[in-house]
Amino acid sequence: MNIIVKHSSPDAVVSDLLAIGLFEGQSVKEAGYGTLDAALGGLIEQVITAGDFEGKTLKARLLYTHGDAIATRRILLVGLGKQAEFTLAVARQAAGVAAQTLADLKLRRLATVVHGLTAAGVAPASAAQTIVEGTLLGLYRFITHKREENTQRPTVDADELILLAPAAEMVSALESGAQVGQILATSANLVRDLVNESGNYVTPKVLAGQAQALTQDMGISLTVYGEEAMREMGMESFLSVSRGSAQEAQFMVLEYFPAAAGADTLVLIGKAITFDTGGISLKPNDGMWEMKCDMAGGAAVIGALRSIAQLKLPVRVVGLVCAAENMPGPDAIKPGDVVKAMNGKSVEYMSTDAEGRMVLADGLCYSARYQPAAVIDCATLTGSIVMALSSDMSGVFANDDALFTRIQKAADAAGEPVWRMPIWKPYRERINSDVADMKGSTGTRYAGAITAALFLQEFVPENTPWAHMDIAGTAWQEDHKPYQPRGASANPMRTLVELARAWAK
């Protein structure tokens, strides 16, 4: 999409749809649209006075201008809610509302004011980034396998977004923010494509190929280790997961080096189970189709590296993607079997459906060679976290307060909420094993997210700040939201990028 920042008044811009935001109880003049409304003969104020539009959060009203009074034929009023409660998250959703309206009307050109520019503490660059993210995320559709007549939304693609700068001196900052927003949203939509795609189309080897295609010529080196190389490295825990599958496991190492030497190293680790049947501990059929999204953490890491490289951030970032398919084949691992991770610790399988932590264990061990400033893993790991936090917040377990604070700020900036969960040491005894150093799982959902984090902590490099993001509830969304259609969300890709951006500063 072509994104233009233009110093122009709303009444002069040429587009198919003009989106303007108003707060609850705000008059047209207070919002700065007096000239626009005068050109329309007071149409907007009439709608507000009649009570047909109150500015309530994300409520919208489409108006037709009927004539040549202004250059745009359609105006979308979007409610921003109470001004005192406004955040960039609201602005992002408001942009999503406008984007979906544009798509539903089969239009191509959208002009929009930059919501939030008049709010206290909102930087122009951040506001522009937010609007672009909300727009591009809101236009997303996954219709790869659909014929035209079976698509619920028209397949006309929007091709222009115009951001209106109220002052000439704001243009540069708005352009900078818009560029960041376009990079992040484009990568997020590519991540959505990977996660939405079926397991027969995205196998571990295909995912490795996609990682290569998405990051080539961006200053990222990619090394892919197959099962023979992984065996030589002692990744028995990782390899145990793929034993029942005809698809070979793949361990991807993506490395981004900044131009300047001496930068901190961040290691991002993603679980990428391209399809999870549960293995011998077979899942119920109902809902199993959704397990194509069990590679969401790995896809998010690939997208994050892509964005970080495009932004040329002055921080070294390593992405470790642990890809495998979990199937109940003839050689599948069994409950009660014992395997060893790279660091020599032994694990007794209790359930083969607790496979994500087994691949992450070796990924965490591998991260030690980088002597990282921090390690963050993200994984659709436990149903327990969904019971605790539902689908709007990811659970974060961290062994370092400062690292969690950084992640929380990054998540707030990205509009991907997180909640800190406890690494409760007394529960460590729940994964004690009679025959190995530990059990892979407890066999119960009670505190399952916590015991999973305690398990992972056993493989974190010594004295390394570490955080585990359990995205089982947030990686896939059932409800249609302003910039989130049903399906893959790309969570927490934008959070990881915002973390790296803040770290670089």
Side-chain angles (χ1 to χ4, degrees):
M1 173 180 272
N2 186 29
I3 298 176
I4 302 167
V5 176
K6 180 180 293 187
H7 175 217
S8 172
S9 59
D11 56 294
V13 69
V14 178
S15 67
D16 295 325
L17 179 68
L18 169 65
I20 62 175
L22 292 99
F23 293 106
E24 267 187 65
Q26 189 178 43
S27 70
V28 173
K29 288 184 179 180
E30 289 172 337
Y33 306 134
T35 302
L36 172 66
D37 196 41
L40 295 171
L43 174 63
I44 301 174
E45 192 63 54
Q46 290 174 33
V47 171
I48 294 173
T49 302
D52 294 334
F53 179 80
E54 299 176 331
K56 293 188 180 297
T57 307
L58 305 184
K59 298 296 183 183
R61 176 70 63 184
L62 182 65
L63 306 179
Y64 289 87
T65 58
H66 299 297
D68 299 323
I70 67 170
T72 297
R73 294 288 180 266
R74 305 167 190 82
I75 295 176
L76 186 71
L77 308 181
V78 185
L80 303 178
K82 292 181 170 57
Q83 189 162 1
E85 298 174 1
F86 176 81
T87 65
L88 286 179
V90 174
R92 189 180 287 108
Q93 293 182 71
V97 169
Q100 291 188 13
T101 301
L102 187 80
D104 290 342
L105 294 174
K106 304 182 184 180
L107 305 176
R108 290 184 178 276
R109 296 179 300 168
L110 170 65
T112 180
V113 301
V114 182
H115 313 306
L117 277 182
T118 59
V122 176
S126 297
Q129 176 188 336
T130 297
I131 298 301
V132 172
E133 284 179 5
T135 302
L136 298 186
L137 293 172
L139 289 172
Y140 175 82
R141 294 161 295 155
F142 184 75
I143 54 173
T144 302
H145 305 296
K146 277 181 171 287
R147 292 182 296 171
E148 175 79 19
E149 61 267 28
N150 290 327
T151 57
Q152 292 180 331
R153 179 184 286 181
T155 56
V156 175
D157 291 321
D159 54 24
E160 187 173 87
L161 171 64
I162 302 170
L163 302 185
L164 300 180
E169 58 268 22
M170 280 190 182
V171 170
S172 179
L174 292 176
E175 286 178 337
S176 176
Q179 182 182 27
V180 173
Q182 187 169 24
I183 287 171
L184 265 64
T186 300
S187 290
N189 284 339
L190 291 170
V191 170
R192 285 170 160 180
D193 282 346
L194 290 174
V195 180
N196 280 323
E197 187 56 275
S198 304
N200 59 321
Y201 285 94
V202 177
T203 63
K205 280 191 174 181
V206 170
L207 183 60
Q210 291 292 329
Q212 175 67 51
L214 293 176
T215 60
Q216 64 184 2
D217 302 324
M218 290 188 181
I220 296 173
S221 71
L222 171 63
T223 304
V224 181
Y225 295 102
E227 291 187 352
E228 184 176 348
M230 294 162 65
R231 199 168 290 112
E232 291 175 359
M233 288 188 286
M235 292 184 161
E236 187 181 340
S237 179
F238 190 147
L239 289 170
S240 68
V241 174
S242 64
R243 277 177 42 179
S245 173
Q247 303 295 334
E248 183 180 1
Q250 304 281 280
F251 180 52
M252 295 164 241
V253 180
L254 300 95
E255 297 184 76
Y256 163 72
F257 296 91
D264 280 350
T265 298
L266 300 181
V267 176
L268 310 177
I269 307 176
K271 170 190 172 184
I273 305 299
T274 57
F275 195 82
D276 180 22
T277 65
I280 294 296
S281 305
L282 196 65
K283 292 177 180 289
N285 179 65
D286 290 347
M288 192 195 287
W289 64 270
E290 196 175 304
M291 288 300 99
K292 65 182 184 177
C293 89
D294 214 18
M295 39 70 74
V301 168
I302 294 169
L305 264 291
R306 182 181 190 275
S307 296
I308 289 165
Q310 286 183 296
L311 293 169
K312 295 180 170 58
L313 299 183
V315 58
R316 184 187 182 197
V317 184
V318 178
L320 306 179
V321 180
C322 308
E325 188 180 66
N326 189 21
M327 299 288 284
D331 193 39
I333 200 78
K334 307 177 295 297
D337 286 358
V338 176
V339 297
K340 283 187 178 180
M342 283 183 74
N343 63 357
K345 292 184 179 181
S346 59
V347 180
E348 179 188 14
Y349 263 92
M350 304 307 292
S351 168
T352 63
D353 194 23
E355 84 299 328
R357 66 200 71 186
M358 303 301 288
V359 300
L360 290 175
D362 279 333
L364 287 164
C365 291
Y366 187 91
S367 72
R369 66 188 60 196
Y370 298 102
Q371 299 180 323
V375 175
I376 301 98
D377 74 73
C378 50
T380 47
L381 206 66
T382 69
S384 180
I385 202 68
V386 185
M387 296 298 104
L389 300 178
S390 193
S391 60
D392 288 330
M393 291 183 287
S394 297
V396 177
F397 299 81
N399 66 0
D400 183 270
D401 292 343
L403 177 58
F404 172 75
T405 298
R406 287 175 183 259
I407 291 172
Q408 186 174 46
K409 289 180 178 179
D412 288 345
E416 296 176 334
V418 299
W419 192 263
R420 190 171 189 178
M421 300 293 288
I423 306 177
W424 185 243
K425 291 182 180 179
Y427 286 171
R428 171 58 182 81
E429 66 181 23
R430 297 189 181 192
I431 57 172
N432 287 342
S433 167
D434 293 332
V435 299
D437 293 322
M438 70 198 84
K439 295 187 291 189
S441 59
T442 62
T444 174
R445 280 194 172 188
Y446 296 123
I450 298 174
T451 54
L454 286 163
F455 175 89
L456 293 176
Q457 192 175 35
E458 294 285 331
F459 306 94
V460 175
E462 189 174 0
N463 299 320
T464 300
W466 159 74
H468 159 57
M469 303 184 71
D470 194 334
I471 59 170
T474 55
W476 186 273
Q477 296 291 315
E478 286 296 325
D479 298 327
H480 193 91
K481 298 177 182 177
Y483 61 86
Q484 174 57 61
R486 181 170 181 258
S489 68
N491 193 310
M493 190 218 84
R494 289 182 297 112
T495 294
L496 297 176
V497 179
E498 294 292 356
L499 174 67
R501 289 183 72 202
W503 205 291
K505 294 176 183 177

